[in-house]
Amino acid sequence: MTAAQLAEELEVSVRTVYRDVEALSAAGIPLYGDAGHAGGYRLLDGYRTRLTGLTADEAEALFLAGAPGPAAELGLGSVLAAAQLKVRAALPPELRAHADRISGRFHLDAPGWYADAEEAPYLPAVADAVWNSRVLNVLYRRWAEPTDVQRRLEPYGLVLKAGRWYVVAGPGPRTFRVDQILQLTASDDEFTRPDGFDLAAYWTAYQRDFHDRLYRGEALVRLAPGMRLPRAVNCRTDEDGWAVARVRIESVEHAHGEFLRLGTDIEVLQPPELRECIARTVAQLARRYAKLA
């Protein structure tokens, strides 16, 4: 077939055909072209795709990438299992042994230890809308008043973060927690995904912006030898062997609870209001427990 015929058949541009042919040839697919009036692209007779070209590392990575928990939440648990069985059956014996070893030695469990599992009953419906570019009308619960609001979403993609699902949706785009969707109505209206939208790049930028907005304050603290604290910078060691560091904090109230959990392994030096707040709490605790002595 010629590039023009392929473009028409696949509903893409001729330039896309040229690009994809080059990519396939570079990947080792025996695709070649003949010039001239009767020319065109041809696939070597008898060629079939095979998995025998996988390396041991690639086979291991393939089976490590399959996360059964999230796949099941999306309604794809049985599909993932069937796909893995088919891939395993097609692997040469030595690579099959590598894949089995990975499955037996590594298990992915996304949620944290102390986080309750968030129920997201509308996750499969959201995933279906993401896949088919369908508009969603939802009743969404947010933190600010009014808490329950109607939203029209154009879902671009789903992200699983620390066991919690988020949908990135237009217009905007903006980020919504799937478990906070109270009602959902799937629409027949289709939307056009923005050209060049990169879900991974968006999420990286979103997280960076989230942390920049969240941790606007700063505290100066002393940490006992061996103690480590996230977001600690400009560390130096004082004459007692304690680390003196600056730590980004969300607020005095939040840092108060966070630092109290470290007990005597931390001393707050600045800001004064945080130091005084912790001192008052410690004094109240001392008086309370003194009654029990």
Side-chain angles (χ1 to χ4, degrees):
M1 298 180 69
T2 66
Q5 290 171 329
L6 285 168
E8 182 179 0
E9 178 72 20
L10 300 174
E11 298 181 352
V12 298
S13 67
V14 173
R15 178 179 293 182
T16 298
V17 172
Y18 291 150
R19 183 198 64 200
D20 290 351
V21 165
E22 290 181 2
L24 288 168
S25 297
I29 306 299
L31 187 69
Y32 63 94
D34 290 328
H37 178 72
Y41 289 108
R42 180 185 296 275
L43 187 66
L44 185 67
D45 290 343
Y47 174 78
R48 294 291 184 273
T49 57
R50 295 180 180 177
L51 295 174
T52 51
L54 286 174
T55 66
D57 289 342
E58 289 169 344
E60 292 173 357
L62 179 62
F63 276 79
L64 184 59
E73 292 175 358
L74 290 170
L76 298 174
S78 60
V79 177
L80 174 64
Q84 287 185 329
L85 284 174
K86 291 177 181 178
V87 171
R88 183 183 180 279
L91 290 173
E94 64 275 12
L95 294 188
R96 192 179 308 150
H98 279 283
D100 289 343
R101 187 157 58 246
I102 282 289
S103 299
R105 284 168 170 77
F106 294 94
H107 176 71
L108 304 179
D109 186 11
W113 278 108
Y114 303 106
D116 294 333
E118 302 287 351
E119 295 293 332
Y122 294 109
L123 177 59
V126 173
D128 182 73
V130 168
W131 185 253
N132 293 294
S133 297
R134 299 286 188 182
V135 171
L136 292 174
N137 296 301
V138 304
L139 178 64
Y140 185 76
R141 175 159 294 169
R142 60 180 187 172
W143 297 109
E145 294 287 346
T147 56
D148 297 353
V149 293
Q150 296 285 342
R151 288 289 182 263
R152 179 185 183 276
L153 305 183
E154 299 176 357
Y156 300 157
L158 280 164
V159 176
L160 178 62
K161 171 71 172 179
R164 181 173 289 159
W165 286 97
Y166 297 84
V167 57
V168 178
R174 299 175 61 190
T175 304
F176 301 85
R177 280 176 50 176
V178 178
D179 63 292
Q180 293 303 303
I181 296 177
L182 306 179
Q183 297 176 11
L184 179 147
T185 302
S187 169
D188 291 332
D189 297 338
E190 296 186 8
F191 65 88
T192 301
R193 185 185 175 93
D195 290 337
F197 177 76
D198 187 322
L199 181 61
Y202 166 84
W203 187 255
T204 299
Y206 172 79
Q207 288 188 98
R208 183 169 56 247
D209 180 65
F210 174 80
H211 285 289
D212 288 343
R213 288 184 287 106
L214 185 63
Y215 299 108
R216 293 184 175 273
E218 188 178 79
L220 181 65
V221 302
R222 294 177 71 232
L223 298 171
M227 279 295 300
R228 296 290 184 271
L229 199 63
R231 307 183 305 281
V233 295
N234 300 331
C235 297
R236 61 178 177 84
T237 304
D238 64 14
E239 61 275 10
D240 297 325
W242 283 50
V244 181
R246 294 193 175 276
V247 183
R248 296 177 65 192
I249 61 174
E250 179 179 344
S251 64
V252 169
E253 294 76 14
H254 183 268
H256 168 263
E258 185 178 14
F259 291 164
L260 276 176
R261 289 197 292 269
L262 300 180
T264 58
D265 287 331
I266 187 173
E267 178 187 359
V268 175
L269 303 177
Q270 295 177 3
E273 57 269 28
L274 177 56
R275 182 179 175 90
E276 293 167 3
C277 185
I278 291 180
R280 284 196 300 270
T281 300
V282 172
Q284 292 171 359
L285 289 171
R287 288 194 298 270
R288 181 169 299 168
Y289 284 98
K291 299 176 182 178
L292 304 177

